[in-house]
């Protein structure tokens, strides 16, 4: 009894950081959102999740995640002190003035709440033009409180529909189908999903300059909050936060309306012809078939007879030398082209130094697929010489364009290269890949017999003249 009393007394004297480290677990509650946490192919991912995982490593403990069904559940668990911290993403509450029973970390991601309309419909330009329109918004959005304040002011006729547990794609689909006039979503999620709804446009920023923070239980013990703030400050300084922002959101800007509409159309009328071949090639080389399909679309828009003045041909646009290297006898045969492109990409990826980890490994392999392995290595050497980690794609992509400048390429082994091209190449493929991930389910693991059957399959050639290498 004395020992138990002593242990209880010792525990009561520990601060929150010491309690977490004694238990060796950082408890986190979150919701399944594109920014906070999601599971893709049985792997947990998400900007906030990955950041929280690094925080747990910084504390020397493991991370344990609980997924809440609603924002109310998440806040209730946090205020009651049943979790170490909460990942609320872009949901309310967002300021400590609104919730004195919660503590907030320093912000680490900025966004705006934006008003979305459909191209061809009347575009509102100010809040004064919102009354009289069918407006939808997620019930958990900070925009709900803002709209209420507008109605309490001069916009007494302003109305909106707050939808419980609404996902951003659902709201955007309502606007896209013309079932509602406007939707309010976060700028980040709109950028992520705009390619699925290419007719949608941003009307204006409803609430600019918002930010995402971690939420902690309120109370006098702020040791874990202070540790988190110190960690976030270091993560900003050492490049961890910039890397995560680039990884999850760095490729969703520069939306191309015409290109996106064309891509969405080709998902239905072109990809089905070649999907099984992409799946078979991906399974053979342990590559997500959707990434191979994204490469194929970037190269040829899934046109098996594409050709360029520089001599590359076929759906995967292989050079003559590359085709011979991977055993492709006819670059205009889409099956051979896809299999050859997958083989070549797998070889390039495997050739990269072991210290380059995913996803950087795939992005650098794509750059090498486009500009050549030697030029990628030159860019990595420049990156290293500038004092940055050459195993991080974010760093290398900043230095690839230097291969176009004489003062830089004159010092390299492989000389001049159009360094901007692989940067845009990788950027585009990542965009196409994002859409494919959102639209297409992952491939189930194929059996050996299924792979053999797939490899025996073939697609008919076009009446175009065949090419024999």
């Amino acid at each position: 009894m004395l020992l138990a009393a002593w242990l209880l007394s010792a525990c009561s004297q520990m601060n929150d950081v010491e309690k977490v480290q004694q238990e060796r677990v950082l408890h986190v509650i979150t919701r399944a959102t594109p920014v906070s946490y999601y599971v893709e192919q049985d792997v947990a991912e998400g900007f906030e999740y990955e950041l929280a995982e690094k925080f747990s490593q910084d504390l020397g403990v493991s991370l344990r995640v609980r997924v809440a069904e609603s924002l109310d559940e998440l806040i209730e668990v946090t205020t009651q002190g049943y979790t170490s911290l909460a990942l609320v993403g872009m949901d309310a509450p967002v300021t400590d003035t609104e919730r004195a029973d919660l503590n907030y970390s320093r912000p680490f991601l900025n966004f705006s709440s934006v008003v979305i309309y459909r191209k061809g419909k009347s575009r509102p330009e100010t809040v004064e033009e919102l009354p009289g329109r069918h407006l939808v918004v997620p019930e958990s959005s900070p925009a709900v409180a803002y709209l209420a304040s507008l109605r309490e002011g001069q916009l007494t006729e302003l109305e909106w529909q707050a939808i419980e547990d609404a996902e951003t794609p659902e709201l955007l689909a309502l606007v896209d189908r013309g079932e509602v006039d406007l939707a309010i979503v976060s700028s980040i999620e709109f950028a992520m999903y705009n390619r699925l709804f290419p007719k949608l446009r941003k009307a204006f920023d409803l609430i600019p300059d918002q930010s995402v923070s971690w939420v902690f239980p309120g109370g006098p013990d702020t040791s874990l909050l202070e540790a988190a703030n110190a960690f976030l400050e270091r993560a900003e300084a050492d490049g961890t936060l910039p890397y995560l922002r680039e990884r999850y959101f760095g490729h969703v800007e520069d939306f191309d309306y015409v290109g996106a509409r064309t891509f969405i159309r080709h998902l239905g009328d072109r990809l089905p012809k070649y999907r099984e071949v992409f799946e078979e090639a991906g399974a053979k080389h342990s590559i997500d078939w959707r990434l191979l399909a994204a490469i194929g679309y970037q190269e040829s828009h899934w046109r098996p007879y594409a050709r360029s003045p520089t001599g590359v041909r076929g759906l995967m646009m292989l050079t003559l030398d590359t085709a011979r290297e991977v055993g492709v006898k006819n670059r205009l045969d889409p099956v051979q082209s896809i299999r050859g492109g997958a083989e070549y990409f797998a070889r390039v990826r495997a050739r990269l130094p072991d210290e380059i980890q995913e996803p950087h490994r795939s992005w650098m392999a794509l750059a090498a697929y486009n500009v050549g392995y030697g030029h990628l290595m030159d860019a990595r050497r420049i990156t290293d010489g500038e004092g940055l980690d050459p195993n991080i794609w974010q760093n290398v992509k900043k230095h690839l364009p230097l291969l176009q400048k004489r003062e830089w390429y004159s010092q390299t082994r492989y000389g001049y290269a159009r360094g901007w091209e692989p940067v845009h190449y990788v950027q585009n493929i990542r965009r196409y890949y994002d859409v494919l991930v959102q639209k297409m389910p992952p491939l189930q693991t194929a059996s050996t017999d299924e792979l053999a059957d797939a490899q025996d399959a073939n697609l008919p050639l076009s009446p175009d003249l065949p090419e024999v290498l």
Side-chain angles (χ1 to χ4, degrees):
M1 291 177 63
L2 288 174
L3 177 61
W6 178 83
L7 288 173
L8 287 172
S9 175
C11 288
S12 66
Q13 296 174 13
M14 290 190 296
N15 63 32
D16 286 346
V17 170
E18 292 169 335
K19 291 175 183 176
V20 167
Q21 291 177 330
Q22 183 188 59
E23 188 181 355
R24 303 189 63 80
V25 174
L26 180 69
H27 292 276
V28 168
I29 188 168
T30 184
R31 294 177 65 211
T33 74
V35 171
S36 297
Y37 174 85
Y38 57 91
V39 177
E40 171 66 25
Q41 293 183 283
D42 297 325
V43 177
E45 296 189 31
F47 172 79
E48 280 198 280
Y49 166 77
E50 194 163 337
L51 188 61
E53 191 172 42
K54 293 182 183 300
F55 178 43
S56 69
Q57 293 168 359
D58 188 70
L59 294 173
V61 302
S62 60
L63 184 68
R64 186 172 298 168
V65 177
R66 170 180 172 180
V67 179
E69 294 296 326
S70 66
L71 179 64
D72 288 341
E73 178 191 344
L74 182 146
I75 296 301
E76 178 67 19
V77 169
T78 306
T79 56
Q80 294 299 318
Y82 296 137
T83 186
S84 305
L85 66 93
L87 316 181
V88 297
M90 292 167 285
D91 289 335
V94 291
T95 65
D96 51 8
T97 57
E98 295 175 359
R99 296 295 304 248
D101 52 352
L102 297 172
N103 289 324
Y104 297 79
S105 75
R106 59 180 287 161
F108 47 80
L109 184 66
N110 297 320
F111 71 100
S112 301
S113 290
V114 295
V115 178
I116 304 301
Y117 76 107
R118 190 178 189 275
K119 183 177 181 291
K121 301 292 185 179
S122 175
R123 173 189 177 183
E125 298 184 2
T126 63
V127 293
E128 286 75 18
E129 298 179 53
L130 295 182
R133 313 227 189 180
H134 190 174
L135 173 65
V136 294
V137 60
E139 188 178 53
S140 61
S141 169
V144 172
Y146 183 75
L147 292 171
S149 69
L150 291 177
R151 185 163 61 186
E152 292 173 1
Q154 296 181 345
L155 301 180
T156 57
E157 297 182 0
L158 177 62
E159 295 183 357
W160 62 91
Q161 181 182 359
I163 303 179
E164 184 179 2
D165 296 328
E167 300 292 341
T168 296
E170 298 173 34
L171 299 185
L172 296 179
L174 291 175
V175 181
D176 189 62
R177 294 194 299 263
E179 297 178 20
V180 302
D181 299 319
L182 307 169
I184 298 174
V185 299
S186 78
S187 56
I188 291 176
E189 291 188 329
F190 179 61
M192 293 172 69
Y193 291 112
N194 198 181
R195 283 156 187 82
L196 297 178
F197 306 98
K199 295 180 182 179
L200 301 188
R201 295 286 189 277
K202 183 181 84 169
F204 63 93
D205 289 334
L206 181 71
I207 314 176
D209 303 323
Q210 296 175 262
S211 58
V212 177
S213 298
W214 281 339
V215 177
F216 295 80
D221 186 350
T222 59
S223 59
L224 192 59
L225 170 65
E226 293 166 7
N229 282 333
F231 162 76
L232 291 171
E233 185 174 1
R234 291 194 302 273
E236 189 70 63
D238 66 19
T240 299
L241 265 169
Y243 154 65
L244 289 176
R245 293 190 197 105
E246 195 281 334
R247 175 183 175 183
Y248 284 96
F249 315 120
H251 59 292
V252 299
E253 301 299 332
D254 303 323
F255 175 65
D256 177 0
Y257 170 71
V258 176
R261 286 194 67 187
T262 302
F263 179 58
I264 295 297
R265 185 176 71 250
H266 290 335
L267 282 177
D269 62 18
R270 291 187 181 176
L271 180 58
K273 302 174 186 176
Y274 312 112
R275 174 171 174 167
E276 289 187 9
V277 187
F278 280 122
E279 290 178 345
E280 167 257 309
K284 179 179 179 180
H285 297 287
S286 299
I287 302 169
D288 189 334
W289 75 268
R290 297 167 296 187
L291 180 59
L292 292 178
I295 298 172
Y297 190 81
Q298 171 64 23
E299 292 287 356
S300 69
H301 284 201
W302 298 322
R303 292 180 296 120
Y305 318 110
R307 60 187 73 196
S308 80
T310 59
V312 292
R313 289 185 168 188
L315 193 145
M316 300 297 276
M317 295 297 272
L318 303 176
T319 67
L320 192 59
D321 288 342
T322 298
R324 285 173 173 157
E325 179 183 338
V326 295
V328 172
K329 297 181 178 180
N330 190 336
R331 291 180 293 173
L332 301 183
D333 179 343
V335 176
Q336 291 188 42
S337 184
I338 292 171
R339 291 174 178 170
E343 171 77 23
Y344 182 65
F345 177 75
R347 291 187 184 185
V348 171
R349 192 174 65 170
R351 186 181 175 188
L352 291 171
D354 292 340
E355 57 266 26
I356 303 177
Q357 302 298 311
E358 291 292 358
H360 311 282
R361 193 173 190 86
S362 287
W363 307 149
M364 290 197 206
L366 287 173
Y369 188 100
N370 174 258
V371 76
Y373 185 86
H375 291 307
L376 175 70
M377 292 299 105
D378 282 344
R380 292 185 70 246
R381 282 187 281 270
I382 292 175
T383 302
D384 187 44
E386 292 297 295
L388 295 174
D389 188 346
N391 302 318
I392 302 296
W393 167 245
Q394 178 189 4
N395 297 334
V396 175
K397 81 172 188 177
K398 293 179 181 177
H399 295 93
L400 272 164
L402 297 180
L403 298 179
Q404 297 178 199
K405 299 179 181 296
R406 180 180 294 275
E407 62 266 33
W408 290 98
Y409 73 71
S410 62
Q411 305 174 42
T412 64
R413 179 177 179 181
Y414 292 93
Y416 173 84
R418 296 190 295 272
W420 277 111
E421 288 189 9
V423 173
H424 290 297
Y425 180 84
V426 175
Q427 203 89 326
N428 287 342
I429 289 173
R430 290 179 65 181
R431 294 187 187 112
Y432 297 138
Y433 176 63
D434 272 358
V435 176
L436 286 164
V437 167
Q438 293 159 8
K439 286 283 192 181
M440 305 291 178
L443 174 66
Q444 300 299 317
T445 303
S447 68
T448 304
D449 290 340
E450 289 171 335
L451 286 179
D453 291 341
Q455 289 173 356
D456 290 337
N458 206 340
L459 293 177
L461 280 172
S462 158
D464 196 0
L465 291 176
E467 179 198 39
V468 179
L469 305 185

